[in-house]
Amino acid sequence: MSFIWNLLDPTRKKIAPLAKSGREFLGTVISHGLTDKTVKVRVSFQHWNFKFARYLSRNSNFLVHDSENFCRTGDKVVIRLAIKKISKRKAYYVRNVFKAYPRQTFYESINKEKRELFEVEYRKALAHYYTTELRTRSFDTKMLELEAKKGLREKAKLRASENVKRILTCLLYTSPSPRDS
């Protein structure tokens, strides 16, 4: 009989057994969001091979009903066999999320927007420096040209970071406050 820790109990002293004979499995969500309220769960199990006298690993993929669209790729879930098939290819549903994969937080999305803004500003600055400074010079060797390009890339990074700081401070101080509306 398989056992899993009951995550609802803070002391984790109780164990919640899985149902026998293939009615419940512990698996990992491998894809979500392709269809509404459906996730694909991979269940790994081992079976004894008499020829090689060792356990061999097998995987099975199941389409599982997720009624709340909560599961994300990487979540460890317990799936249970439904009494009646949910659809043509779905016979299991998510009983509970055993271990949730980390979600993207608000601060991570802000950092992602900053990175995208930095990339745009960096490309603009680099194009500006290439057109103004690189084309006006002539180089004797390829090595001198590469060193000049490297210096321009560093210069463009500094300019882009300054522009991002300026844009973010403008957005911070010009955003409407609740009292203005």
Side-chain angles (χ1 to χ4, degrees):
M1 176 182 238
S2 301
F3 291 101
I4 60 169
W5 291 104
N6 186 356
L7 294 179
L8 299 176
D9 184 17
T11 60
R12 294 188 180 180
K13 296 202 176 183
K14 297 179 183 177
I15 48 177
L18 294 175
K20 293 180 183 178
S21 68
R23 288 180 298 184
E24 283 187 350
F25 293 113
L26 179 64
T28 306
V29 177
I30 58 172
S31 78
H32 75 281
L34 299 177
T35 54
D36 191 34
K37 297 185 179 182
T38 303
V39 294
K40 187 184 279 190
V41 176
R42 175 170 289 154
V43 175
S44 299
F45 59 93
Q46 292 181 335
H47 69 92
W48 180 257
N49 187 297
F50 290 101
K51 181 178 179 181
F52 300 118
R54 67 180 64 174
Y55 283 101
L56 298 179
S57 297
R58 297 283 182 185
N59 295 323
S60 293
N61 295 337
F62 296 102
L63 288 180
V64 179
H65 183 68
D66 178 21
S67 60
E68 298 170 359
N69 278 336
F70 179 75
C71 294
R72 297 288 176 259
T73 304
D75 286 352
K76 303 283 186 193
V77 294
V78 177
I79 60 173
R80 175 177 264 173
L81 184 65
I83 296 171
K84 183 181 176 188
K85 278 187 101 170
I86 298 163
S87 69
K88 182 179 178 182
R89 297 178 62 202
K90 287 196 294 187
Y92 289 87
Y93 65 93
V94 175
R95 186 184 85 179
N96 65 330
V97 177
F98 173 64
K99 183 177 179 185
Y101 196 76
R103 292 342 191 225
Q104 185 180 22
T105 63
F106 173 73
Y107 296 106
E108 290 172 350
S109 64
I110 293 294
N111 288 337
K112 184 178 178 184
E113 291 172 6
K114 281 184 187 177
R115 282 193 306 263
E116 291 170 356
L117 184 61
F118 177 78
E119 286 294 324
V120 169
E121 291 296 321
Y122 174 69
R123 280 192 231 111
K124 284 181 188 176
L126 194 59
H128 172 72
Y129 285 133
Y130 274 3
T131 56
T132 57
E133 294 186 19
L134 196 62
R135 291 190 181 168
T136 57
R137 294 189 207 170
S138 62
F139 300 101
D140 295 337
T141 62
K142 190 74 171 174
M143 188 62 111
L144 291 174
E145 184 180 354
L146 290 176
E147 287 178 10
K149 283 184 178 181
K150 184 178 179 182
L152 290 179
R153 283 194 294 267
E154 293 299 321
K155 204 172 175 182
K157 284 179 186 176
L158 289 173
R159 183 173 176 183
S161 62
E162 290 171 1
N163 287 348
V164 168
K165 286 178 188 175
R166 184 179 44 80
I167 290 170
L168 291 176
T169 53
C170 288
L171 289 176
L172 183 66
Y173 291 117
T174 59
S175 62
S177 64
R179 287 179 272 159
D180 294 341
S181 54

